[in-house]
Amino acid sequence: MKFVSWNVNGLRAVCGKGFNDIFASFDADFVCLQETKLSPGAFELDFDGYHSYWNLADRKGYSGTAIYTRTEASDVKYGIGIDKHDREGRVITLDMDDFYLVNVYTPNSQAELTRLDYRIEWEEAFRNYLCCLDRVKPVIVCGDMNVAHKEIDLKNPASNRRSAGFTDEERGEFTKLLDCGFIDTFRAVKPDLTDAYTWWSYRARARERNVGWRIDYFLVSECLRLKIADANIKAEIMGSDHCPVELVLGLMD
């Protein structure tokens, strides 16, 4: 079973960069998108053989998430049930037979860390939400989680100690999530792989020089550890400042 997650940084924009062909090349059972930047009723994209689910922000052209799935979900939830956190289209949860699939676009702490306090509040609420799901059945959570967890996960850790996405507070919140029983699948498969990034600044030829950050993830419940067959970063796929990430799970019992 193959899962793909990608922050497309504007679905309209990436559609002009070969998205249809890229989507077909995934040949995935589930494709999760973040930062679709769509307005209600403005634009949706369908693919044969896939059901799609969309969560759009109240604010026009901002944030937003989507999931494509070959298997229709038995239920779908938009947001985490807390109004102040559910206005930016950041979370979709699909209730599948054997697991929950959660697609998330975590808030960025912003320049000068102006949104760090809100980010930490969000992290606690989202973690509690995932833990509640995990008590029911296994959880697969993916998306742009806007944090490089360890120094291995970005090119220049020393100079980014207080940059958004690499503060002690954000990294600590990610550690708390893992401590709740979730596994960073990429590091489970490739624990020591360096220079493996999923986001690059548009400035200073960062992608060309591979000066990047790994901030896009697939996490799974501990009970799925032995189901992890592979986890990859698809850095060769262009079209956004992020690249897709991929998870392959063995068939569910």
Side-chain angles (χ1 to χ4, degrees):
M1 188 178 298
K2 184 190 290 187
F3 302 78
V4 170
S5 174
W6 192 12
N7 179 325
V8 294
N9 194 13
L11 186 57
R12 283 184 182 275
V14 80
C15 280
K17 301 174 183 177
F19 179 71
N20 288 31
D21 290 337
I22 293 170
F23 186 97
S25 75
F26 290 150
D27 191 25
D29 299 287
F30 298 88
V31 177
C32 298
L33 306 179
Q34 304 89 44
E35 206 171 0
T36 55
K37 296 184 178 180
L38 300 181
S39 301
F43 177 80
E44 288 190 10
L45 183 63
D46 296 321
F47 290 98
D48 289 343
Y50 287 87
H51 305 273
S52 63
Y53 304 91
W54 304 78
N55 193 6
L56 308 182
D58 292 348
R59 178 177 160 189
K60 183 178 179 180
Y62 177 74
S63 188
T65 47
I67 300 178
Y68 291 92
T69 169
R70 284 175 167 155
T71 304
E72 188 172 6
S74 59
D75 193 21
V76 57
K77 180 176 181 179
Y78 301 98
I80 61 174
I82 300 174
D83 183 66
K84 70 180 294 184
H85 297 315
D86 290 345
R87 299 173 183 172
E88 298 181 346
R90 292 187 177 275
V91 179
I92 304 174
T93 303
L94 299 191
D95 187 345
M96 310 304 294
D97 287 345
D98 299 315
F99 58 89
Y100 292 109
L101 175 62
V102 182
N103 181 22
V104 61
Y105 177 36
T106 300
N108 190 299
S109 294
Q110 302 296 332
E112 308 300 324
L113 303 179
T114 57
R115 219 180 184 199
L116 179 59
D117 288 346
Y118 173 73
R119 165 69 179 268
I120 301 307
E121 184 179 350
W122 156 277
E123 292 280 2
E124 181 177 2
F126 186 61
R127 182 171 62 251
N128 289 339
Y129 174 72
L130 294 180
C131 288
C132 287
L133 294 179
D134 191 47
R135 287 194 284 269
V136 179
K137 58 184 170 183
V139 177
I140 302 163
V141 55
C142 68
D144 175 0
M145 302 186 79
N146 261 316
V147 61
H149 185 217
K150 301 289 188 179
E151 291 192 354
I152 193 176
D153 295 317
L154 74 166
K155 189 68 170 182
N156 296 313
S159 60
N160 282 291
R161 290 288 301 179
R162 289 304 292 171
S163 296
F166 197 61
T167 64
D168 291 344
E169 294 92 333
E170 292 162 309
R171 296 167 66 198
E173 292 297 318
F174 194 86
T175 297
K176 289 179 185 178
L177 181 55
L178 299 185
D179 288 345
C180 286
F182 291 92
I183 299 165
D184 178 349
T185 59
F186 183 79
R187 286 300 173 207
V189 174
K190 301 174 173 70
D192 302 315
L193 185 63
T194 60
D195 298 320
Y197 308 125
T198 66
W199 173 82
W200 303 262
S201 170
Y202 281 128
R203 293 178 287 183
R205 298 171 30 252
R207 189 160 188 172
E208 180 182 339
R209 297 184 296 118
N210 199 28
V211 179
W213 299 49
R214 188 175 75 94
I215 60 175
D216 301 86
Y217 296 85
F218 271 99
L219 310 181
V220 299
S221 297
E222 174 64 38
C223 62
L224 295 179
R225 180 184 291 273
L226 296 181
K227 299 288 188 181
I228 302 170
D230 205 0
N232 297 293
I233 292 173
K234 311 294 284 184
E236 75 278 6
I237 295 179
M238 310 298 284
S240 169
D241 51 351
H242 295 249
C243 74
V245 294
E246 176 187 85
L247 171 66
V248 181
L249 291 180
L251 293 176
M252 299 295 181
D253 294 332

